[in-house]
Amino acid sequence: MAQVRWRDRARYWFDNTMSKGTPALIGWLALASGVLILVVASMVTVLAPQDAHENGNWPGVFWRSLLRTLDPGTMGGDAGTAPFLALMLAATVGGIFIVSALIGVLTTGLEAKITELRKGRSMIVERDHTVVLGWSDQVFTVVAQLAEANQSQRRSCVAILADHDKVDMEEAIKARVPDLGSTRVVCRRGNPLKIADLELISLGTARSIVVVSPPVDDPDTHVIKVLLSLGARSWGHRRPHVVAPVSKTANLPAARLAGGPTAHVVDADDIAIRLIVQSHRQSGLSTVFTELLDFAGNEFYLVSEPTLVDLTFGEALHAYELGIPAGLRHADGGVSVNPPMDTVIKAGDELIVLAEDDLLIRLARGRSPIIEEAIATAAPQPPASGRTLMIGWNSRAPKIISLLDSFAQQGSVLDIAALCDDPRAASEELRNLTIEFTACDPTDRTKLEGLAVDSYQHVIVLSDDSFDAQHADARTLVTLLHLRDMERSLGNPYSIVSEINDDANREVAQVTRADDFVVSAKLISLLLTQLSESEYLYDVFVDLLDPSGSELYLKPAGDYLRPGVSANFSTVIEIARRRGETALGYRRGALFHEPPSYGIVLNPAKDTELTLSAQDHVIVLAED
């Protein structure tokens, strides 16, 4: 074995030292400065003793050498013998090189540190913040809603971890969500599937974690892997609750198993189906759901109210000046939306209250008067069988048909017009619906005119998932334009509910004046944000979308108040209470197509004068 020379060892040691970066370079420059100053001071003392004596001997000369090394300009007033001046010049020249090198090293080190920080690889130190894992268009809705929800707080933080450039994420958020209020958004670049990267965003001190679906072919696989990564992390005694979506119902059991007991996995596919089906029966329902999920308007809050213990739920409906009770969360964790009016509120129960903000919920000092003469006396019209046209086909269509059958009256008809194989052969046995099928391109005006659209009360336009989201939305818009133009010429109005993938396309689609646009991606983002703020609301929204319980209905205002007769909303609440329903608001028919509220008014003032027409509707929670 060849012997290693000391020169090679020294060079190897020097290389390792230099590889440590800016601190090592500064250390070498400091050492070089010290050696230069010591040598110059010592040589002055030996070669120019008289000058050394006049300048304070060795300590004084050392100080002068230090000043000349760090600031070459101090040499201008020197006087003395030739050796003294020559040594001071050497200190100055050496200092020029050392200080220049030091400036270069510091500049390079600072630029490297700024570049590293811009990469977003430093660990954050936050507490009670919301963590968002992943990146997609859902992030903008989540961040905007969290900023709206935290307006009443002095400071709040949203931490985003995604495998994207930190600066690009921050600029995108600034462009899409310009008003963040008191909320700070901190972005870090990392892979949510790696436990080491998860540590960058202080998960252990977070309040909640939101997992978003990435824009890839199989987003559920990514979401499940993220949930597994969170489960593999050591949490200690405190673990924040997790909310995550899956796009396919078949992946729901695996996602819930991966997420564990603290995770709420939202079935985006199922929610979209339920909203489409319920909206086709109740024009304007998707707007009501958006209002309930959007922090900018009214939303549900859980409120403990000891003063209402031992009262019935029906009595509690008139107990609030601001806010409307919509249900109960019992001490055992169970949720009852629109429970029987004689349900007694027990100690430990929480009221589910609809309000604009939890700070605005307050009990009434007195009860608003009930205007008995304004109450309608005619019996509500019972639901009748109807005809529905479903245009288009996608993977959700079979479940939509099954759910339509559970809501439909006996003898109802569903006609399907789409470019697909005849679905009747593969459909399950239905109890209430009769299905007919016509092969039809939804964008072909001639084919649509042959469907006798004016013979239907309801039309459902499905997004074709065989195309990309933007192309599918474009085809939907063309179909809607044809349908509305045909309605004008036929003179027989019908309600239209349509699926839209991108919320930006919903704004464009307003010209079609469809009754409802179900933008499932945005609604899921809103739901995820609601659950990140209050995990207990999950059961509330599941109950609202379940056909076996109480659902949201928009019922004719004439069933509650005499058209044109002045009353107040307390009267509407009382009428609904007598029928076992909970009134939450009303919809103005004349404003149905006018943004941003589209005629929807939730949680109105109870004592304000209210006059409803035959075109208006009352928004209630009811079993049918």
Side-chain angles (χ1 to χ4, degrees):
M1 182 177 180
Q3 186 176 3
V4 180
R5 296 177 299 176
W6 68 269
R7 194 176 300 172
D8 295 330
R9 291 183 182 274
R11 184 182 297 112
Y12 177 64
W13 173 81
F14 180 77
D15 290 345
N16 285 337
T17 304
M18 295 296 288
S19 66
K20 294 180 180 179
T22 302
L25 293 173
I26 293 175
W28 278 111
L29 290 173
L31 178 61
S33 300
V35 170
L36 176 64
I37 294 167
L38 288 172
V39 170
V40 169
S42 299
M43 291 184 68
V44 167
T45 304
V46 174
L47 300 178
Q50 182 63 33
D51 293 312
H53 178 72
E54 293 176 358
N55 287 282
N57 296 318
W58 191 90
V61 175
F62 178 86
W63 177 251
R64 287 181 175 273
S65 300
L66 174 63
L67 294 179
R68 283 153 182 75
T69 301
L70 297 179
D71 184 8
T74 58
M75 184 183 172
D78 282 347
T81 62
F84 175 76
L85 293 176
L87 290 170
M88 291 297 102
L89 177 61
T92 300
V93 173
I96 291 174
F97 286 103
I98 291 173
V99 171
S100 299
L102 178 62
I103 293 173
V105 168
L106 290 176
T107 302
T108 303
L110 184 60
E111 290 178 350
K113 187 63 177 178
I114 292 175
T115 301
E116 182 181 352
L117 291 174
R118 287 172 67 88
K119 290 180 180 178
R121 296 296 297 170
S122 61
M123 185 178 296
I124 72 170
V125 180
E126 295 287 347
R127 180 170 293 277
D128 291 330
H129 57 295
T130 301
V131 170
V132 178
L133 299 179
W135 185 262
S136 71
D137 285 346
Q138 287 183 328
V139 170
F140 305 115
T141 302
V142 171
V143 170
Q145 290 302 304
L146 288 173
E148 185 72 32
N150 296 323
Q151 278 190 344
S152 59
Q153 299 183 16
R154 290 183 55 188
R155 60 184 300 272
S156 61
C157 177
V158 178
I160 302 173
L161 177 69
D163 197 10
H164 284 68
D165 182 76
K166 172 181 179 291
V167 177
D168 289 345
M169 289 190 288
E170 291 174 344
E171 290 179 350
I173 291 173
K174 185 177 180 180
R176 297 280 293 271
V177 192
D179 184 12
L180 292 172
S182 61
T183 299
R184 292 180 301 107
V185 177
V186 181
C187 297
R188 290 293 180 266
R189 180 165 194 170
N191 190 343
L193 301 178
K194 296 181 179 179
I195 297 178
D197 288 354
L198 290 174
E199 299 306 316
L200 295 175
I201 48 178
S202 189
L203 286 180
T205 59
R207 177 177 55 183
S208 60
I209 301 172
V210 180
V211 182
V212 300
S213 294
V216 296
D217 291 337
D218 190 8
D220 289 356
T221 300
H222 178 89
V223 171
I224 291 172
K225 287 182 179 179
V226 173
L227 293 174
L228 286 172
S229 298
L230 293 173
R233 184 186 183 276
S234 178
W235 292 96
H237 67 283
R238 185 180 185 275
R239 180 172 180 172
H241 68 277
V242 181
V243 292
V246 291
S247 59
K248 295 182 179 178
T249 304
N251 295 324
L252 187 62
R256 286 179 173 170
L257 182 62
T262 61
H264 288 288
V265 182
V266 176
D267 188 345
D269 201 32
D270 183 66
I271 289 175
I273 290 168
R274 294 181 184 277
L275 282 174
I276 291 170
V277 172
Q278 292 203 31
S279 296
H280 113 278
R281 303 162 57 243
Q282 308 287 328
S283 296
L285 192 61
S286 66
T287 307
V288 177
F289 266 103
T290 302
E291 174 80 7
L292 292 175
L293 292 170
D294 193 335
F295 280 104
N298 288 273
E299 53 272 350
F300 291 121
Y301 295 94
L302 295 176
V303 179
S304 296
E305 205 67 71
T307 58
L308 300 182
V309 172
D310 295 331
L311 296 180
T312 64
F313 179 76
E315 293 171 326
L317 290 175
H318 293 286
Y320 285 93
E321 179 181 350
L322 292 176
I324 300 175
L328 294 171
R329 181 176 183 269
H330 303 290
D332 60 1
V335 168
S336 299
V337 176
N338 185 42
M341 294 299 155
D342 58 357
T343 301
V344 177
I345 302 172
K346 299 178 181 178
D349 289 350
E350 291 179 295
L351 284 163
I352 304 167
V353 180
L354 178 68
E356 189 173 352
D357 191 274
D358 54 347
L359 298 177
L360 298 178
I361 300 174
R362 62 172 180 264
L363 294 172
R365 296 181 179 179
R367 182 167 170 172
S368 299
I370 306 301
I371 314 300
E372 294 287 346
E373 57 271 19
I375 299 176
T377 56
Q381 292 294 323
S385 59
R387 290 171 53 84
T388 300
L389 174 63
M390 188 165 74
I391 300 176
W393 189 264
N394 57 32
S395 58
R396 291 180 290 277
K399 294 182 180 179
I400 291 175
I401 294 172
S402 178
L403 194 60
L404 279 171
D405 182 64
S406 65
F407 278 115
Q409 298 297 313
Q410 187 73 35
S412 297
V413 175
L414 173 66
D415 286 345
I416 302 171
L419 282 178
C420 64
D421 296 332
D422 192 337
R424 291 175 292 183
S427 63
E428 60 185 46
E429 185 177 351
L430 304 175
R431 295 178 303 170
N432 301 316
L433 281 177
T434 300
I435 299 180
E436 298 295 335
F437 173 72
T438 303
C440 172
D441 182 354
T443 62
D444 189 329
R445 173 65 178 260
T446 304
K447 294 289 186 181
L448 290 176
E449 289 177 342
L451 297 175
V453 182
D454 57 331
S455 65
Y456 300 94
Q457 291 83 39
H458 310 289
V459 177
I460 300 173
V461 181
L462 297 183
S463 176
D464 192 338
D465 53 15
S466 63
F467 298 96
D468 65 81
Q470 294 300 324
H471 190 184
D473 282 355
R475 290 175 59 86
T476 299
L477 292 176
V478 171
T479 303
L480 291 175
L481 288 170
H482 286 324
L483 290 172
R484 277 308 177 205
D485 186 58
M486 290 163 56
E487 181 191 20
R488 273 198 296 267
S489 61
L490 295 171
N492 188 15
Y494 39 78
S495 69
I496 302 177
V497 57
S498 62
E499 261 188 310
I500 296 291
N501 296 297
D502 189 344
D503 189 54
N505 292 328
R506 184 193 192 281
E507 299 177 7
V508 177
Q510 292 300 327
V511 68
T512 67
R513 299 181 69 83
D515 296 83
D516 279 279
F517 299 96
V518 177
V519 189
S520 56
K522 180 178 181 180
L523 289 170
I524 294 302
S525 301
L526 295 175
L527 179 57
L528 292 176
T529 312
Q530 285 278 349
L531 299 182
S532 72
E533 291 292 294
S534 179
E535 58 183 310
Y536 304 112
L537 290 178
Y538 177 81
D539 295 328
V540 176
F541 289 107
V542 168
D543 199 323
L544 287 177
L545 293 168
D546 189 348
S548 63
S550 290
E551 303 93 48
L552 282 167
Y553 288 91
L554 284 84
K555 297 190 175 184
D559 292 347
Y560 296 82
L561 295 177
R562 293 179 177 177
V565 178
S566 178
N568 55 33
F569 195 69
S570 284
T571 303
V572 178
I573 291 177
E574 177 60 21
I575 302 168
R577 185 194 68 80
R578 295 174 186 178
R579 299 178 180 180
E581 303 171 349
T582 301
L584 302 180
Y586 56 89
R587 190 202 78 183
R588 295 286 189 185
L591 305 176
F592 187 41
H593 294 287
E594 294 188 14
S597 64
Y598 302 98
I600 300 295
V601 179
L602 292 177
N603 184 34
K606 296 180 177 61
D607 56 356
T608 303
E609 183 176 330
L610 176 66
T611 304
L612 299 179
S613 69
Q615 295 180 327
D616 299 332
H617 289 78
V618 175
I619 303 169
V620 297
L621 289 169
E623 291 192 3
D624 53 41

